[in-house]
Amino acid sequence: MQQTKGLWMKAALAGAALMLSVGGAAAQQNGSILQQVLTRGTVRIAVLGSLPPFAQMTPSGTPEGYDIDIANMLAAALKVKAELIVTDIPTRVTGLQTHKFDLTIADFTRNVERSTTIAFTDPYLVTSMKALVPIDSPAKTITDLNDPKIRVAIDRGGTDEIAVPPMLPLAQLVRFNAEADELASLLNGQTDIMAEDTLYNHRQIHDHPGKLRELDGAFAQAEIAIGLPAGDFDWYRVINLWVHQFNATGKNAVLFKKWFGFDLPPIQAHY
Amino acid sequence: MNYTFTLRTVFPYLGGLVPAAELTLTISVLAILISMVIGAVVAVMRRSRLRAVRFVGAAYVEVMRNTPLLVTLYIVYFASPAIGIRLSSFTAALLGISLNAAGYMAEIIRAGLIAVPRGQFEAATAQGMSVWQMFRHIIFPQVFRTIYAPLGNQFIAVILASSLASAVAVEEVTSWMETVGANSFRFFETFVVAAIVYVVLCQTINLARLQIGRMLFRQPDARR
C-alpha cells in the first residue's frame, strides 16, 4: 500500500513537471511582447502622419514631432531601435488588436470603452478637444453652431464621434480618415467647424495666419496615453513605468516645450 | 488568436446601413448613366476625321485610365476649391467616379462602333440623315447590342469604385463599415456585412441589366 502510494506520488510529480515544462515552452513560444521586442531588437510604434506638432512628415518622408521624439526616447530606454509605422485614426485600435505594432504613441485619448479591447498607460499629457473654425465664423462658443446647416469635420472612429453629438446634436457630422483631410475641407469651406485637440488647433492657427481661430468651450477633456495590446501585463508594466519616469524626471516637460513653445499643462484631471 | 465572431455586435448599427446602401446605389446608378453619355461622346471623338478631335478623345481616355480614382477624387474635392470650385462631398464623388468610368466606357463604346460596318454609315448618309439622326437611329442601336455584355463588367466596376467615395466624406457603405468598425471595434463583422451588401447591390444591378436586355433584344446572345 505504501509502495503504491509512492508510485502514485511519483507519477503525479512527473505529470506536474511535464505540464510545467510544456506550459513553459508554450509561454516561451508566444512570449510577452517585451520578450519579442528585446529578441527582435526593434519596437514597432504606431504614429500619426498629419497631426503637427504631435507628428508630421518631413519633406523627405520621415516623421517628426513630439510623439516621434517620445517614441525614440522610449526605444532608447529599452535599448532597441524604434520602427515607426505611420497609421491613421481607425487603424490605431485594430493594429494593436491584431499585433501589427507593439504600442501606439499617437495623441491617443484613453477611455473605458477603448480599454475594453486595448490597454492604456497613465497619461503623458492632459488636454482638451476644442473647436477650430474659419476666422470669419459668426460663432463665439461651440453651442452657437448647433444648427442643421453646420457641418462638423471629425475623425472616423476618433473620440470626437462620441464627444461632438451631445454638444451639437443638430449639426451634420462629416467623417474623414486623417486630420489633414479635415483641415483641408475646413480651409476650403466644405466644412464649418473641426473638432480637434486644442494643441493641434493652436499650431494650425499659427501656421495659417488670419484664417483660423478657436471657439470658447471644450467638447471633452482628453487624457493622452500610450496604447498597448490588451492582456500582456509584462509589457504594460514596463511601458507604464517608463511613462511615469518620463513625467517625473521632467524629460516630458522639456520635450513638450521644444515642440509646443510653452509649458506642459499639469498632468492630472480637474475634477 | 481567439476571436469570437458575433454579428450581434453590429446589429445596433444596422439602421445606418440602409441610407448608406441607398447612397451607394444612387451614386453608382447616376455615375453609370453620366459616364455612358461622356463615354459615347469621347468614343465618337476618337473616330473623328479631324486629328485634333481624335487626339483630345485619346488623351481623355489615357489620362482617366492612367490615374487612380482616389487621386481623381482628391483633385475634384480637395484641390478644385483652390481655383474657386467648391463641391459638396456627394457632387465631388459623383463627378470623380463618372469622369474616371467614362474613360473605360469610351473604350467599350469605341469597340462597338468599330463593329458597325462602314456601309451602315454610308447607307444612313445616303438616306439624307443628319449626323445626329444617323447615330440615334442607325449606329447606336447596333453599338448598344454589341457592347451590352461588356457593359455589365463596367457597371459592377463602378459600384465597387464608389467605395472610394468615403475618402471624401460620403457616407456610403464603406464609410459605414469604417465608422462602425472603429466605433464598435468589431472590424471583422463589419467587413463581412459590407461585403454582403456589395454582392447584393452588384447582383441587383446585374439582374436589372439582364431583365432590360430581355426586353430590348430578340437574339439571346445579345441579352447577356
Side-chain angles (χ1 to χ4, degrees):
Chain A
M1 192 64 197
Q2 276 292 328
Q3 248 185 347
T4 335
K5 212 174 184 181
L7 209 67
W8 273 113
M9 204 67 168
K10 272 182 196 161
L13 275 173
L18 193 72
M19 269 164 71
L20 270 177
S21 70
V22 169
Q28 240 168 19
Q29 218 168 36
N30 295 323
S32 157
I33 296 169
L34 180 64
Q35 287 309 319
Q36 293 171 17
V37 165
L38 295 178
T39 317
R40 205 189 308 128
T42 56
V43 54
R44 299 168 304 168
I45 301 176
V47 296
L48 295 172
S50 66
L51 192 78
F54 289 94
Q56 61 194 331
M57 304 304 278
T58 61
S60 64
T62 49
E64 62 164 23
Y66 176 61
D67 280 347
I68 311 302
D69 280 2
I70 296 176
N72 286 323
M73 266 188 170
L74 172 57
L78 296 171
K79 301 203 162 47
V80 293
K81 258 185 68 192
E83 185 190 328
L84 299 178
I85 300 168
V86 177
T87 182
D88 57 21
I89 300 288
T91 317
R92 287 184 307 189
V93 173
T94 30
L96 287 174
Q97 287 175 320
T98 53
H99 293 263
K100 297 277 188 301
F101 28 78
D102 304 313
L103 55 93
T104 68
I105 305 180
D107 189 23
F108 209 171
T109 304
R110 65 175 188 171
N111 63 33
V112 174
E113 194 192 7
R114 281 176 173 171
S115 66
T116 57
T117 52
I118 57 169
F120 289 103
T121 62
D122 291 339
Y124 59 90
L125 185 63
V126 173
T127 173
S128 51
M129 187 198 293
K130 291 195 174 187
L132 189 64
V133 293
I135 197 123
D136 53 6
S137 168
K140 274 214 164 68
T141 63
I142 293 174
T143 40
D144 290 346
L145 289 174
N146 188 25
D147 186 295
K149 273 190 256 141
I150 295 294
R151 298 154 300 178
V152 192
I154 65 166
D155 303 308
R156 256 188 205 106
T159 38
D160 23 11
E161 188 95 45
I162 305 147
V164 170
M167 289 196 79
L168 299 174
L170 295 176
Q172 311 163 37
L173 300 182
V174 185
R175 297 177 175 88
F176 295 93
N177 287 335
E179 289 83 6
D181 291 350
E182 292 175 65
L183 185 68
S185 77
L186 185 71
L187 289 169
N188 285 341
Q190 287 155 315
T191 49
D192 307 294
I193 169 174
M194 169 174 175
E196 197 48 75
D197 192 319
T198 180
L199 299 167
Y200 168 85
N201 294 349
H202 281 197
R203 170 54 62 95
Q204 296 310 328
I205 291 166
H206 176 265
D207 288 353
H208 299 87
K211 289 193 171 159
L212 298 166
R213 66 191 177 87
E214 194 177 57
L215 296 182
D216 292 341
F219 287 109
Q221 160 130 337
E223 295 174 12
I224 309 301
I226 294 179
L228 308 165
D232 191 330
F233 182 69
D234 254 0
W235 187 229
Y236 167 80
R237 170 178 74 72
V238 172
I239 303 301
N240 201 44
L241 175 60
W242 184 84
V243 170
H244 175 77
Q245 297 197 337
F246 176 62
N247 292 335
T249 54
K251 282 181 186 163
N252 188 4
V254 174
L255 212 54
F256 185 88
K257 184 127 193 187
K258 172 187 165 192
W259 285 104
F260 293 87
F262 53 95
D263 287 334
L264 178 70
I267 308 176
Q268 55 188 357
H270 303 285
Y271 297 108
Chain B
M1 192 165 174
N2 39 18
Y3 187 89
T4 324
F5 184 88
T6 39
L7 275 177
R8 194 154 37 87
T9 51
V10 225
F11 283 176
Y13 300 93
L14 287 182
L17 188 55
V18 177
E22 280 172 8
L23 198 51
T24 291
L25 201 61
T26 312
I27 286 200
S28 304
V29 171
L30 288 177
I32 285 169
L33 295 175
I34 296 171
S35 67
M36 279 176 78
V37 173
I38 303 175
V41 172
V42 174
V44 172
M45 283 171 78
R46 292 204 67 179
R47 303 269 294 161
S48 168
R49 244 174 272 137
L50 300 171
R51 204 164 158 205
V53 176
R54 279 205 307 275
F55 176 80
V56 172
Y60 179 87
V61 168
E62 292 312 329
V63 167
M64 283 307 163
R65 288 200 308 185
N66 299 345
T67 39
L69 175 57
L70 189 58
V71 174
T72 311
L73 287 174
Y74 266 73
I75 292 172
V76 174
Y77 185 72
F78 288 117
S80 64
I83 52 166
I85 306 166
R86 196 163 297 149
L87 301 170
S88 71
S89 294
F90 178 84
T91 320
L94 180 60
L95 187 63
I97 296 169
S98 302
L99 288 175
N100 182 278
Y104 297 89
M105 211 61 101
E107 288 299 272
I108 296 174
I109 297 172
R110 188 167 72 99
L113 277 174
I114 292 170
V116 179
R118 197 82 237 139
Q120 297 286 320
F121 288 86
E122 286 161 3
T125 318
Q127 294 291 320
M129 285 185 175
S130 69
V131 174
W132 168 248
Q133 283 173 324
M134 173 177 77
F135 276 108
R136 163 76 185 78
H137 296 288
I138 308 296
I139 308 302
F140 275 137
Q142 297 183 63
V143 169
F144 201 54
R145 200 171 59 190
T146 317
I147 66 171
Y148 202 68
L151 274 184
N153 264 342
Q154 184 56 27
F155 288 178
I156 287 173
V158 169
I159 301 168
L160 300 183
S162 76
S163 64
L164 286 173
S166 62
V168 292
V170 178
E171 304 272 316
E172 36 74 18
V173 174
T174 301
S175 171
W176 176 89
M177 174 185 88
E178 286 175 336
T179 307
V180 172
N183 290 343
S184 66
F185 309 122
R186 287 286 174 174
F187 278 94
F188 201 52
E189 285 84 348
T190 49
F191 288 172
V192 169
V193 170
I196 294 169
V197 171
Y198 277 112
V199 169
V200 170
L201 288 180
C202 287
Q203 277 311 306
T204 309
I205 297 268
N206 200 35
L207 291 174
R209 188 184 63 86
L210 290 175
Q211 196 53 43
I212 294 169
R214 262 186 215 112
M215 294 190 287
L216 285 179
F217 308 117
R218 245 173 273 146
Q219 302 108 304
D221 281 352
R223 289 174 185 172
R224 281 177 243 123

